[in-house]
Amino acid sequence: MLTTNEAYGSNLKKKGSMWALDQNLDEPIDDDAVRIRNISKEKKFSALLILRLAYQSLGVVYGDLGTSPLYVFYNTFPHGAKDQEDVIGALSLIIYSLTLVPLIKYVFIVLRANDNGQGGTFALYSLLCRHANIKIIPNLHRTDEELTTYSRATIHEKSFAAKTKRWIEAHQYAKDTILILVLIGTCMMIGDGILTPTISVLSAVGGIKLTIPDVKNEVVVLVSVAIIVGLFSLQHYGTDRVGWLFAPIVLLWLLLIGAIGIYNILNYDRSVLRAFSPVYIYRYLKRGRREDWTSLGGIMLSITGTEALFADLAHFPVSSVQIAFTVLVFPCLLLAYSGQAAYLLNNLDHTQDAFYRSIPDKMYWPVFVVATGAAVVASQATISATSSIIKQARAHGCFPRVKIVHTSKKFLGQIYIPDINWILMVLCITVTAGFENQSQIGNAYGTAVLFVMLVTTFLMILIMILVWHCHWILAIIFAGVSLLVELSYCSAVLFKVDQGSWIPFLIAGAFFIVMYVWHYGKLKRYEFEMHSKVSMAWVLGLGPSLGLVRVPGVGLVYTQLSRGVPHIFSHFITNLPAIHSVVIFVCVKYLPVYTVPEEERFLVKRIGPKSLHMFRCVARYGYKDLHRRDDDFENKLFESLFLFVKLDYMMEGCSDSENYSSYEQTPAESNNNNENTHSSNMDLSVTSVDSLESDRSESHGNIASRPPEVDELEFLNKCRDAGVVHILGNTVVRTRDSRFYKKIAINFIYAFLRKICRENSVLFNIPHESLLTVGQICYI
């Protein structure tokens, strides 16, 4: 019972004006896992916990970067090194590449740009969207900015950051360019997820030819394909079930390659340590030979896996990842490369199998086994990172609706996407079997990683200006150093477009078309719904019964709009003059935040007078939130509605405004709502709203002392018990008098994607007996 303002006044939070634009609701997530708290949220960790998490991060974050010594020198000198100066120069480039890119750029700068512990290109995009209005489909309102997870610093009006922000917001092409950059980085990361298993497993298995020379290359490829098939087939179990193996394998691998590096330095040539002088980089490049410059494409492979380091950040705090790299990973990699170089100084023609040839004979088989295991771990880390960014892309409306399953209750980022998993497997097998030359695969792999890094650099420039408010000189220094290194490598890999570097462009191009066309189609559908929405004046003009028969039950009308009546509603009642006694317009929107707290998720308001029994509910999610496949969503929606009704009567005069209200519910209120839910069933016969109001009047006359909100709550419960029907729109997009490429994009590609992707009813887990679809055609 509602007695005083103090009883519920403390639950009222963040009232704000209604906003017109909203994101498409095609993206609610139907994950099969419980909501968990991310370990990477900002909080204090004990020193012991930091060290333990640093150890665990080895198996998830550093598998890809740690296996690079398997193939770097072979791809740098595929035909052998000409002289010792080549080896020293290449080693010097590797040392300073590891120092500038993974250590300085990523570990100490880029990792700080995480979005509440989330990494990847779309995490950077979310940060930018919160600090500037750059979303192509804007869905933000000032009430969203009041979320506890919506962190945004104020910008001084005359600062360089404010000027940059205003310029970007004033030019649509700037917003489009940022989105295209993000999509390119995501597509190249998907290509990375295909090429990492290929080169890692091939390089590890290929070492068997040293001890068994009669083994043909076809056998190595067949064994590699078998391992890859097994790796992708086990994805549905999740990395959490075998995760306890990952960290020990990578730890053992790093210690082994570090120890072997020390052995080779002491046993072959200690003068290799002179490569720590940058003078040898100058000498290496000064000669001006084309083969020296193109060899940068192989040297660049020494920093591959750094992009996955950022994408896999969600599992661990930044400090743990930084400690693991600086204390263990970085020194072991330097020792491993230095040891291989020391061996090559005395064996210039052994570059093809430099890693395995430099291993002491007694250590060969143990290292071979550990190397194969490390290659599998590296592949797993990249596959997991690929799945994570695809989920983020779908939440931002840039990827078709695919099934996402969370495989771990401990780690939110460990997910399994069946459709994408098998597509990646087929493409990975195709590359492995189709390109037997490891050098070509290395060129392709380096190209994919390089473009992910370039996209990260451009986004980081905006992050430093708009988010961190750094001086523009610092942004220029960061951009200058990063682009100097990355563009140098880029020019080298572009020389090898015909030698395998075209593979990631082909893969990324196909995924880019899918993602861009899907986003464009969603944008046009949203614009169509915005332009064809029905005004509230039209609804109110229908009278208290809406000019039609009101049927017992609750109708949940799903719409992309958070203001106005959607066209599917008017289209529905025009063709079928009957509607449920209670109508709730449900809008599911995704915000550029990693999560929305449960108590801040639902925004509820009343539409029109109380006699219409029409409401609007906006459900807000972050790109890491889970939309459970059960009745949890519906129950919480009605709980929020019941609480709104109680507060609505208490705050008479505010309910009919164009304001939303967000409430936080106490356990006592939750129990009251659960009791109200079990009200007696109402007659299922067809009736009008007038007769329903008559029933309420009679009931109210019997218990005159009851507050009016109790009558409406009882009415809502009876309607809910009578049945809840989910009304979804099925909008078919077609072009009219458009250019041929637009017709191909919409009439064929977008239509095909909508046909093969999951239906909205499946995403919402709506039973067929409760589903009502309203079809319409959108011409663009």
Side-chain angles (χ1 to χ4, degrees), residues 293-294 296-297 450 485-496:
W293 189 258
T294 56
L296 293 178
L450 181 60
V485 176
E486 292 161 5
L487 290 179
S488 298
Y489 285 135
C490 183
S491 63
V493 298
L494 290 180
F495 276 113
K496 301 181 179 181

Side-chain angles (χ1 to χ4, degrees), residues 483-602:
L483 294 178
L484 176 64
V485 176
E486 292 161 5
L487 290 179
S488 298
Y489 285 135
C490 183
S491 63
V493 298
L494 290 180
F495 276 113
K496 301 181 179 181
V497 172
D498 60 336
Q499 301 176 35
S501 293
W502 58 270
I503 301 174
F505 289 109
L506 179 63
I507 296 173
F511 278 96
F512 180 84
I513 292 174
V514 169
M515 296 176 70
Y516 189 82
V517 169
W518 181 261
H519 182 270
Y520 179 77
K522 285 168 62 65
L523 174 62
K524 293 304 177 182
R525 288 182 58 195
Y526 178 79
E527 291 176 348
F528 168 78
E529 192 162 345
M530 277 293 299
H531 295 154
S532 60
K533 67 180 180 179
V534 180
S535 66
M536 283 304 305
W538 179 82
V539 177
L540 298 177
L542 296 177
S545 64
L546 298 182
L548 42 83
V549 177
R550 302 299 293 268
V551 193
V554 178
L556 299 181
V557 183
Y558 292 85
T559 174
Q560 304 177 59
L561 304 179
S562 56
R563 186 170 190 171
V565 178
H567 182 261
I568 61 169
F569 180 74
S570 61
H571 185 61
F572 173 75
I573 62 176
T574 300
N575 291 275
L576 183 63
I579 195 62
H580 298 85
S581 301
V582 177
V583 177
I584 304 174
F585 295 102
V586 181
C587 174
V588 178
K589 62 184 298 186
Y590 280 82
L591 303 178
V593 296
Y594 78 103
T595 185
V596 175
E598 291 286 349
E599 64 272 12
E600 302 178 52
R601 174 147 298 156
F602 292 96

Side-chain angles (χ1 to χ4, degrees), residues 4 186 197 386 412 477 763:
T4 63
T186 303
T386 303
L412 184 59
I477 293 174
L763 294 174

